Every structure is written in structure tokens, then in C-alpha cells.
Amino acid sequence: MTIISEAGTASGWDEPPGGTPRGTLILLTGRGETAATYQRFGRRISADAYKVRLVEADLDDVTAARAEIEQHLADVALPGPKVLVGSDTGATLAATLVDQVAADAAVIAGIVLPESAAIDGWEEEIDARSACPVHRQVIGQDGAFGRGTLATGLGAEWSDLTLPVPDKPVLVVHGDADPVTPVEQVTEAYGEAPGVRRRLVAGGRHDILNDLSHRSVAATIILFLESLKLGSDLPAIVYEADEPA
């Protein structure tokens, strides 16, 4: 069920009527993105009984974004575990905030780093973002979508960003064909951090939550969430059986 804000746009998605909510995702948008960008993702995740709340995060006003995040984290009507999910610069923000706020974990999808590439031109940008024809149509027809936003980087105030080693569980999902943040930058940034689960998407581009493999990515996130409900050490739910001798 879509939650509509006072401005008339989607601000979140709830579990189906009669369902028992299993947790809450606080979704932090990236450059140019709007609520319309995440209609498909929000409906899919909420269909598995996880509430989703959207925060249109702006790295130029981290104070406001953090205040909205903390409001959701403090809302007793939203069940735990409460997990930050960030895309693009929203992923950058989630990665830096996860240990500073009362979130239980984070999902980092298509993060932007100081070394990430700038993409000029709309055709080049849409190709960098996603190969999914449905998503390309959605953002192409969204009059509120910020075109040209990939032409700028993180900004001078973020130029010395070093990702902290998280104390909480973190799932990193990244396309291995991402032209904005090459996968090598991400694996190097997180190194061998023990609480981080790294998952690469074959052929995946930058908007990895909305690329051709969006179903598999959503399933990967659900599996992470279900494991998190069993413990912060993320015990395996589905595992490979031993091969017969």
C-alpha cells in the first residue's frame, strides 16, 4: 500500500492489508531521484511485509536528511529491525550515518565516492544509470527527475571522505559494470570489514536497485533482512548442501 505525503507524492509503502510487518527500510534517494523512481522497488519490498519510508536525501543539507531519518527511527509505529537503504549519494550518506544513528543495519547500493566519475549528457547519464527499459522510461518521463545530476561529484566538503568500518551489519550491492563508481573502488573502500556482506551484480549499472536485475537485487536484500532478524551475525537461512562423496 502506497503512503501519500501532504504534497501528493509517495512517501512510503506498507505491507499488504492483513499482513504482519517484519521491519522497516528507510530509503535514502540519490542525485536527481524522486519518489516515482522507487515505486517499483517500494511495492516489491513492501509485498514481503517490510515497511518502506522514503527520505529525499540531499548531501548539501545532511542536517535535514539526518533529522528525517532519526524521526523514522524514533517512530514506535514502525517495527524493527530498522535498516537504512541508500542509492547513489543516498548510499554515501547511509554508509557514513549507519553507526551514528539508531539504525540496526544498512544496505549500500551503487555508492558514490570522491573518485567516482562524472557523467555528462542525458543519453550518457541514462545509459550509466540503468539498462532496464521500464526504469529508463520512468525517469525519462518524470518531470521532477533531476537530469544532469551525475555531471557533478560529491562536492569539496566530501573530497576527503573515508568510509568508516561499520560496527553494524552492512550489505553492499554494486553493479560490476557501474561506470560511475567502478567496482574496484568499492571493494577497496570496504576491504575485509567483517560486518560487511558484498554482492556484485553481473552486468549491473549504477542505479542497481532499478537495473535489469532488479528482481534478483530485491531478493538479495530480502534475504539479508531475514537473516538480520535472526541475529546481527546474519546466520544463514538458505545454504548450500554438502556434495555427496
Side-chain angles (χ1 to χ4, degrees), residues 28-105:
L28 314 182
T29 62
R31 292 171 291 180
E33 296 176 338
T34 70
T37 309
Y38 287 101
Q39 286 281 1
R40 180 172 64 184
F41 178 81
R43 289 196 299 263
R44 175 168 285 127
I45 296 297
S46 63
D48 274 312
Y50 284 90
K51 291 181 180 291
V52 180
R53 292 297 180 266
L54 188 79
V55 174
E56 295 193 10
D58 185 350
L59 290 189
D60 291 332
D61 193 353
V62 172
T63 300
R66 179 167 178 163
E68 189 172 352
I69 291 167
E70 291 184 328
Q71 181 179 4
H72 290 310
L73 291 172
D75 187 347
V76 295
L78 296 176
K82 295 184 178 180
V83 179
L84 304 183
V85 180
S87 170
D88 186 67
T89 50
T92 309
L93 186 59
T96 57
L97 286 183
V98 61
D99 282 340
Q100 299 179 27
V101 297
D104 295 294

Side-chain angles (χ1 to χ4, degrees), residues 72-157:
H72 290 310
L73 291 172
D75 187 347
V76 295
L78 296 176
K82 295 184 178 180
V83 179
L84 304 183
V85 180
S87 170
D88 186 67
T89 50
T92 309
L93 186 59
T96 57
L97 286 183
V98 61
D99 282 340
Q100 299 179 27
V101 297
D104 295 294
V107 176
I108 309 301
I111 194 170
V112 182
L113 299 172
E115 302 82 8
S116 295
I119 307 295
D120 291 313
W122 176 243
E123 291 302 322
E124 292 77 11
E125 176 177 339
I126 201 168
D127 282 342
R129 284 184 175 278
S130 177
C132 174
V134 173
H135 184 60
R136 290 163 67 100
Q137 182 178 34
V138 166
I139 62 178
Q141 295 178 349
D142 181 3
F145 192 89
R147 296 191 178 200
T149 50
L150 295 191
T152 58
L154 285 178
E157 65 274 23

Side-chain angles (χ1 to χ4, degrees), residues 83-84 98-99 103-108 166-172 194-197 224 228 231-234:
V83 179
L84 304 183
V98 61
D99 282 340
D104 295 294
V107 176
I108 309 301
D167 291 328
K168 297 173 183 176
V170 168
L171 171 65
V172 175
V196 175
R197 301 291 187 270
F224 173 77
L228 180 65
S232 60
D233 57 340
L234 304 176

